[in-house]
Amino acid sequence: MLEQFLIEHCSPTLASLKTANLFCYSYQKEDSLKEQVKLWNCQLAEKGVSVVILKERAEKALIYVYRPNKLQEDLDRRDTADFLTQYGYEAGFSLEQVLLHLQERFKNSDCFPHEIGLFLGYPLGDVVGFIENDGRNSKCSGCWKVYCNECEAIRMFRKFKKCQTVYKKLFQQGRSVLQLTVAV
């Protein structure tokens, strides 16, 4: 069941076009969910992809699928690292510590932590623009609301959409998530 969600919501990450994707997943048994996540981590690790549950509540889980190497690169950028200090992320945090802090931020808030866009590979300028404008006044929107480089964002949105369309078709034709995941 989780396989369909991975294709539908995470194909740009599986194709190594994007740092990460996020989706909400309904489940009946917590043990079963954790077992599925553990299984997918074992299978996708060899391809450079990890799966984490960011938040659980009322039989719904927020699942984060990411490429650790790409996420580390994104978070190591000086301007991104400086920005994240405003939200309690400290320089020198390991990737594991960063994700634990993000989970805590989700746990202690009813809404999405504003910095989540950086964990999904969104441009810092768009994340800052979203925060400063309370989500209004964007130039355009697609996977995220765009405040800076509109042309580049539109190009990326089209690329992600095409990837999703191709992955859905290949999945329907019998290819597995593992076969469709690009090793990096």
Side-chain angles (χ1 to χ4, degrees):
M1 179 103 162
L2 192 56
E3 202 168 43
Q4 181 73 38
F5 279 80
L6 289 169
I7 292 296
E8 218 154 296
H9 300 284
C10 304
S11 34
T13 298
L14 299 176
S16 199
L17 299 175
K18 193 169 181 293
T19 299
N21 285 96
L22 190 63
F23 63 91
C24 189
Y25 182 74
S26 296
Y27 63 93
Q28 293 180 349
K29 295 181 181 177
E30 185 178 354
D31 291 345
S32 176
L33 170 68
K34 292 195 174 174
E35 201 54 42
Q36 284 185 66
V37 168
K38 184 178 178 183
L39 174 72
W40 280 110
N41 266 314
C42 288
Q43 291 182 0
L44 293 173
E46 67 186 55
K47 303 274 189 146
V49 176
S50 293
V51 182
V52 171
I53 299 169
L54 287 181
K55 185 174 184 169
E56 291 178 74
R57 187 170 64 177
E59 296 180 339
K60 290 188 189 234
L62 193 57
I63 309 285
Y64 179 62
V65 179
Y66 68 104
R67 291 200 171 259
N69 290 343
K70 281 190 168 199
L71 179 60
Q72 190 67 63
E73 278 178 33
D74 291 352
L75 299 179
D76 282 346
R77 290 189 190 112
R78 169 58 76 194
D79 51 355
T80 300
D82 289 346
F83 176 80
L84 287 172
T85 61
Q86 299 172 55
Y87 298 96
Y89 299 88
E90 295 180 23
F93 265 11
S94 67
L95 202 51
E96 184 178 319
Q97 290 170 311
V98 166
L99 290 173
L100 286 172
H101 187 73
L102 181 62
Q103 286 172 320
E104 280 299 310
R105 300 255 310 136
F106 269 103
K107 186 177 171 183
N108 298 323
S109 176
D110 289 332
C111 60
F112 274 52
H114 290 306
E115 72 274 14
I116 189 65
L118 297 173
F119 289 84
L120 296 168
Y122 302 171
L124 177 61
D126 291 336
V127 173
V128 171
F130 181 86
I131 292 168
E132 290 176 351
N133 290 280
D134 289 323
R136 296 185 301 269
N137 306 320
S138 62
K139 292 179 179 181
C140 72
S141 64
C143 298
W144 65 86
K145 290 192 176 186
V146 178
Y147 294 87
C148 293
N149 191 343
E150 183 178 10
C151 292
E152 177 64 16
I154 290 170
R155 188 181 70 73
M156 292 305 294
F157 297 160
R158 285 184 183 137
K159 194 174 189 178
F160 297 157
K161 184 67 178 164
K162 183 176 182 179
C163 174
Q164 182 186 43
T165 301
V166 169
Y167 268 50
K168 279 182 179 181
K169 183 177 180 182
L170 291 171
F171 183 71
Q172 289 168 351
Q173 292 173 349
R175 297 262 180 93
S176 70
V177 169
L178 201 54
Q179 288 173 318
L180 292 170
T181 303
V182 174
V184 177

